[in-house]
Amino acid sequence: MTRSRTRRPTAVYAVLQAVTVMLALWLSKHFQVARLSVTLVALAPTVPGAYLAWVAFRDDRREAAADTDAKVKTLAAVVAAAETRQRAQLIGPGAHRIDVAFHQRTEPANNATGAAPDGRLTDIVSYYQSLRPARLVITGEPGAGKTLLALDLMLGLLTHPGRTDTDPVPVRFSLADWNTDRPLQEWLAHQVHQQFRDQGITLADAATLVNRYRVLPVLDGLDEMDTDATPAGRRRAARALEELNAYPAATGSAPVVLTCRTRQYEDLAGLDLRMREAARIQLDDVTPGQAAAYLTARNTSRARWQPVIDTFTTAPSGTLARSLVTPWRLNLTATAYEERHPDTRAYLREPEHLLTLASPSAVRDHLLARYLPAAADQHSTRPNRYRPHQTHHWLAALATHLATTTPTSTVSSTDIVLHRLWPMAGPRRVRTVDTLLAALYLLALATLLAPGDFLGFAPGQLFGVSGAVLTAAATIWWASRPFVPEPQRFQLQRLRSPTHRRELARHIAGVFAATLPVDLMLGLSIGREIGLPIGIGIGLALGLMGGLIFGLVLGLAKRLRDAPPTDPRHPVRGDLLFGIVFGLAGGLMTGLVLGTLFGIAAGVKFGLAGGVMFGMAGLAGGIVFGLAFGLLVGLYWIAGAGRRYLVFLLCIRGRLPWRLGTFLNWAYEAGLLRISGVAYQFRHRELQDWLTAHPTP
C-alpha cells in the first residue's frame, strides 16, 4: 500500500513533463529561436525533476526507528503524565477513589487462563499480569467506572516496581474514531504518531512500536461505535472484534484491553461476537458501605451528610441506596450539594433533601439538574464565568446535535470536534455563506486588479484572463464542497532533525524541478517583449520562489486527524495560523518578485530612471496584489477546516458562543466535559442524554 502511494506523484509529474514538452514544441513556433533550443530547455529537467519529485513525496514510514527503547521511555513518560491528569479530572476534588469490586464472566470458550474469579480496583495490575494471553475485557453498567479502572491499570503498569524497559507502554485509544476499513495495526500506528508527534514519535517510530508490540492498546468505548438502531451485520463494533481476534503476536493473540457497556457486549456475544482468548470481567455495584465511606471522605461537614449516611445503613435496599450504586452517581451527588451562595458562601441546599425523592429516576434528574451550576461554582480558577442558564443552553444544543448524529467511520455520536461541528448550523446554510464570502472576496480582488495597465501590459495579459476565471471558479467550488479537509498545522520541530531538514530540502528541490518547465514557458512568453535572457531569468526566479513556498508547505504541514490530549482547540488554531501565515508570506514573496520583474522590464525598455520609477510603483502594486491573493490562497486552499469553522460560528450565532473553543475548555476545567484526543466529550453519557431530553434549564 505504501509503495503504490509513493509512486503516484512520480506518475503525475511524468505526465506534467510530457505535457510541458508538447507545449514547448507548440510555443516554439512563436519565438525567434531554434525549435531545438526550446525543446532542450523543456526536456532538461524532465528526468531529474521526476526523480526529485518522487524523492520529495516519499513516505518516511519505511525508515526504521533508530532507538526503539528510547522512544518507549519517552512514550511511557508522556502517557503517565497525561493519564494522571485525566484520572484526577474524573475522580474530582480530593482524589477520593472507591475500591470497586469486579467478577469474572466466563465465556463458553476461548477464555484466557489465569483469571481469578473476582478482584478489586486496587489489585487490577496483578490480576491483569496473571492472564495468559494478556487480553482483558472490562464491562459494566453506565457509570460503573470502566474507564477509571482502565486508567488505574495503565498507570499501575507504568509505575509498578517490576516494570522493565522491554514492557509495552499502555496507550488509550477511543474506538469511536476507528474506521474499521483500515487495518488495526495501521490505525494504531497512525494514532500513536498523531498523539505523540510533538514528543518526536514519527510515523516510522509508531509503526515500529506497534509492530514490535511495544504498545499495549487500551481500547475505550466499544459501545460507542454504533447506535442501537444499527443492523447487527453493519455494526463497526462487530468488525472491530473480528480485527481484534485476528491481531496476532509471536506467542498467540496480542495483548489488548477493551472496555464496553455490559448490555452492548452481551448483544454482540449473543451473535457469537466476542473478543477471544480474553478474560472478561464485570464491575459490581458500589455497596452501601462503600457509598457511605466515600461521601464521608469527600465532604468536610459530616453533620450535613449524616442523615444520608445513616440511610445507607438503615435502608440498604431503599430508593437512595439503589440510586447511588455507581462511582459516577456518587461523584454527581457530592458535587451537586457543594454549591454555595456567591455572596455569603453558604450552602444552597442540604443533602437531607435526597431522602424525600420517591424513585431512582427522580434522584437522577434531581442530581443532574443541579450538577451544572454546582460544577461551575467549584471551577478551580474561573467559577461562574458563564451564567448557569447559558451553560445549560449551549451544552444542550451540542448534546442535541450529537443525538441526531449517526456514528460512522469518521463521525462519532459522543465526540465534540470543532472542525466537524459545521453541519450543526445547517449544512446548506454554512456552505452557502462560505461560497458567498468567497465570491465577495474574489469580486473585491478583481476590483483591485481591474484598473491597472502597467507598461502596456493589461492585467488580463499579465495573469491570464482564463487563469483568473478558472481560479475564481475553482475557489467558489472549493468553498461550496460538503467535505472539508482535516486541519493542518506547523511542524517546525521537524527542522531540529537533520533527517527532516534533508527531507525538507528534497521537497523544495522536487517542487522546483517539477514546476520549472511551466515557469520557463511563462518566462519565455514574457521574454518576447523584454528579451529572451531576461525572460528565462524570470522563469527561474518564479520556479525558485514556488519551490521554496510550496516545498515549505509540503515539508512543514501535515494533515491532523488527532492531537495530543492537551487542548482540542489546537487543530483549528493551527490550521488557521498555518493558512494565513503561509498564504500571506507566499503572497508577499510573489508581490516582491513581480514588482522586481516589472522594474527590470521597465529598466530594459525605458532605461535606469524609468526602471526605478516604474519598479517602485510595480513593487507597491505587486505587494498589494500578492497579499490579497495570498490571503485568498491561505484561507480557501490551505486553511479549509479553520475557515469553515469560522463560517460555522458566524451561522450559529445565538445558539452557541462566538468563542466556542474557550467555552468548551472552561467546561472541561469545570468537570462538565472530558478530553479524548482531538475531541471534547461529555463527562458521562448520562449527562449528555439528560441534556438532550432537557434543553431548557
Side-chain angles (χ1 to χ4, degrees):
M1 184 178 295
T2 300
R3 291 183 179 179
S4 65
R5 279 199 294 263
T6 56
R7 287 176 180 172
R8 287 175 191 168
T10 309
V12 171
Y13 286 107
V15 172
L16 177 62
Q17 300 290 342
V19 172
T20 302
V21 172
M22 295 174 64
L23 287 174
L25 293 173
W26 180 79
L27 290 173
S28 62
K29 299 178 181 179
H30 303 280
F31 293 104
Q32 300 301 319
V33 295
R35 179 178 303 181
L36 180 61
S37 301
V38 179
T39 304
L40 290 176
V41 168
L43 280 173
T46 299
V47 176
Y51 172 74
L52 288 174
W54 173 74
V55 171
F57 286 91
R58 186 171 54 191
D59 202 314
D60 64 352
R61 276 176 289 185
R62 291 178 292 170
E63 297 179 4
D67 189 353
T68 302
D69 290 339
K71 299 295 183 183
V72 168
K73 291 180 180 179
T74 299
L75 189 63
V78 174
V79 169
E83 298 299 6
T84 298
R85 291 192 299 268
Q86 184 68 25
R87 184 179 65 174
Q89 201 266 353
L90 290 177
I91 292 175
H96 300 289
R97 295 190 302 166
I98 301 173
D99 191 15
V100 293
F102 56 83
H103 63 277
Q104 183 192 14
R105 293 288 300 272
T106 305
E107 300 293 347
N110 293 295
N111 293 278
T113 61
D118 49 45
R120 309 194 73 84
L121 179 143
T122 49
D123 60 16
I124 183 60
V125 174
S126 60
Y127 188 95
Y128 176 75
Q129 290 177 328
S130 67
L131 301 178
R132 297 293 182 275
R135 292 163 66 86
L136 178 67
V137 180
I138 303 172
T139 60
E141 298 302 319
K146 299 180 292 297
T147 299
L148 190 58
L149 182 66
L151 289 175
D152 265 56
L153 172 59
M154 294 174 62
L155 294 174
L157 291 173
L158 289 171
T159 58
H160 75 90
R163 178 176 174 79
T164 66
D165 291 339
T166 60
D167 290 342
V169 178
V171 179
R172 188 163 55 98
F173 305 93
S174 175
L175 278 174
D177 296 331
W178 181 15
N179 179 354
T180 51
D181 292 334
R182 192 174 196 176
L184 174 63
Q185 287 176 277
E186 181 183 331
W187 176 73
L188 292 175
H190 175 81
Q191 294 283 304
V192 170
H193 167 57
Q194 294 291 354
Q195 289 193 38
F196 306 105
R197 59 168 60 186
D198 288 342
Q199 285 72 40
I201 305 296
T202 66
L203 190 56
D205 296 330
T208 300
L209 294 174
V210 170
N211 294 332
R212 294 183 182 179
Y213 304 99
R214 305 299 298 274
V215 168
L216 169 62
V218 179
L219 306 175
D220 196 11
L222 182 71
D223 52 282
E224 295 176 355
M225 299 185 75
D226 308 284
T227 64
D228 292 338
T230 305
R234 298 181 181 178
R235 291 186 180 181
R236 290 192 296 145
R239 174 62 179 161
L241 289 174
E242 293 174 354
E243 283 278 325
L244 291 173
N245 290 333
Y247 183 28
T251 57
S253 298
V256 172
V257 177
L258 177 69
T259 72
C260 185
R261 290 187 180 185
T262 300
R263 184 177 64 81
Q264 282 81 352
Y265 193 82
E266 290 182 347
D267 288 346
L268 293 166
L271 301 173
D272 197 24
L273 295 169
R274 55 176 65 86
M275 193 164 80
R276 304 192 175 203
E277 303 297 330
R280 177 191 166 192
I281 61 175
Q282 181 166 329
L283 290 165
D284 298 333
D285 289 341
V286 175
T287 65
Q290 288 177 318
Y294 173 81
L295 292 176
T296 300
R298 175 73 185 266
N299 299 282
T300 58
S301 178
R302 182 179 177 88
R304 294 181 63 234
W305 288 90
Q306 195 62 50
V308 173
I309 294 172
D310 291 342
T311 299
F312 288 119
T313 303
T314 59
S317 300
T319 298
L320 190 58
R322 288 186 290 113
S323 302
L324 306 181
V325 294
T326 64
W328 155 247
R329 286 283 183 87
L330 287 166
N331 181 283
L332 197 65
T333 303
T335 303
Y337 277 88
E338 288 298 305
E339 186 181 5
R340 296 172 181 261
H341 192 280
D343 296 327
T344 65
R345 302 309 295 166
Y347 291 109
L348 293 182
R349 59 189 66 89
E350 293 299 322
E352 192 173 6
H353 178 72
L354 289 168
L355 304 179
T356 66
L357 302 176
S359 65
S361 61
V363 174
R364 177 201 63 203
D365 291 344
H366 171 77
L367 294 175
L368 289 169
R370 285 149 184 79
Y371 178 64
L372 265 68
D377 178 69
Q378 296 177 44
H379 194 287
S380 57
T381 58
R382 292 173 292 183
N384 294 318
R385 176 177 180 177
Y386 299 96
R387 295 178 182 177
H389 73 277
Q390 288 180 319
T391 302
H392 188 112
H393 277 301
W394 294 337
L395 292 179
L398 291 168
T400 302
H401 169 66
L402 294 176
T404 58
T405 300
T406 302
T408 66
S409 59
T410 57
V411 179
S412 169
S413 61
T414 60
D415 290 351
I416 303 171
V417 183
L418 294 181
H419 61 272
R420 297 176 187 165
L421 280 177
W422 62 272
M424 179 179 174
R428 290 186 178 180
R429 180 184 182 188
V430 174
R431 290 163 54 193
T432 300
V433 172
D434 201 0
T435 305
L436 289 175
L437 290 175
L440 288 174
Y441 191 88
L442 286 165
L443 180 62
L445 188 62
T447 304
L448 175 68
L449 299 177
D453 186 6
F454 185 66
L455 294 180
F457 297 95
Q461 293 174 320
L462 284 175
F463 305 106
V465 175
S466 60
V469 172
L470 288 175
T471 300
T475 302
I476 291 175
W477 169 79
W478 192 265
S480 64
R481 295 180 312 151
F483 169 77
V484 174
E486 294 294 328
Q488 302 180 93
R489 64 172 181 174
F490 287 107
Q491 295 285 298
L492 295 179
Q493 68 272 17
R494 296 168 67 88
L495 296 176
R496 303 173 186 171
S497 167
T499 301
H500 288 150
R501 287 197 294 269
R502 289 193 295 270
E503 179 185 351
L504 184 61
R506 290 196 296 267
H507 276 295
I508 295 173
V511 174
F512 171 71
T515 59
L516 184 59
V518 176
D519 295 322
L520 286 176
M521 290 302 100
L522 179 61
L524 289 172
S525 64
I526 297 175
R528 295 175 59 187
E529 300 291 337
I530 61 176
L532 188 61
I534 297 178
I536 293 176
I538 290 174
L540 290 173
L542 291 174
L544 181 62
M545 180 187 64
L548 184 62
I549 295 173
F550 293 104
L552 288 173
V553 170
L554 292 172
L556 297 181
K558 295 293 180 183
R559 295 292 178 191
L560 182 65
R561 295 188 181 277
D562 297 279
T566 54
D567 194 338
R569 296 172 294 178
H570 287 170
V572 170
R573 289 177 174 176
D575 189 63
L576 282 171
L577 180 64
F578 179 81
I580 292 174
V581 169
F582 264 92
L584 292 178
L588 180 62
M589 292 180 64
T590 302
L592 291 173
V593 171
L594 289 175
T596 303
L597 295 178
F598 284 149
I600 294 174
V604 172
K605 196 168 186 178
F606 301 112
L608 180 61
V612 172
M613 181 181 66
F614 285 109
M616 294 297 293
L619 192 63
I623 291 175
V624 172
F625 163 75
L627 291 177
F629 189 76
L631 185 62
L632 174 73
V633 172
L635 285 177
Y636 284 94
W637 291 98
I638 299 178
R643 183 203 73 254
R644 180 62 62 85
Y645 172 68
L646 293 180
V647 176
F648 157 71
L649 291 180
L650 185 65
C651 296
I652 203 72
R653 290 290 292 163
R655 294 173 57 191
L656 291 176
W658 173 248
R659 299 185 64 187
L660 177 59
T662 301
F663 165 71
L664 293 176
N665 199 63
W666 173 87
Y668 163 72
E669 293 174 350
L672 301 172
L673 302 176
R674 62 181 182 179
I675 288 176
S676 177
V678 75
Y680 290 103
Q681 296 176 341
F682 281 93
R683 170 72 178 272
H684 194 274
R685 186 62 182 261
E686 187 177 62
L687 177 61
Q688 177 183 330
D689 294 340
W690 186 85
L691 284 168
T692 303
H694 300 83
T696 302

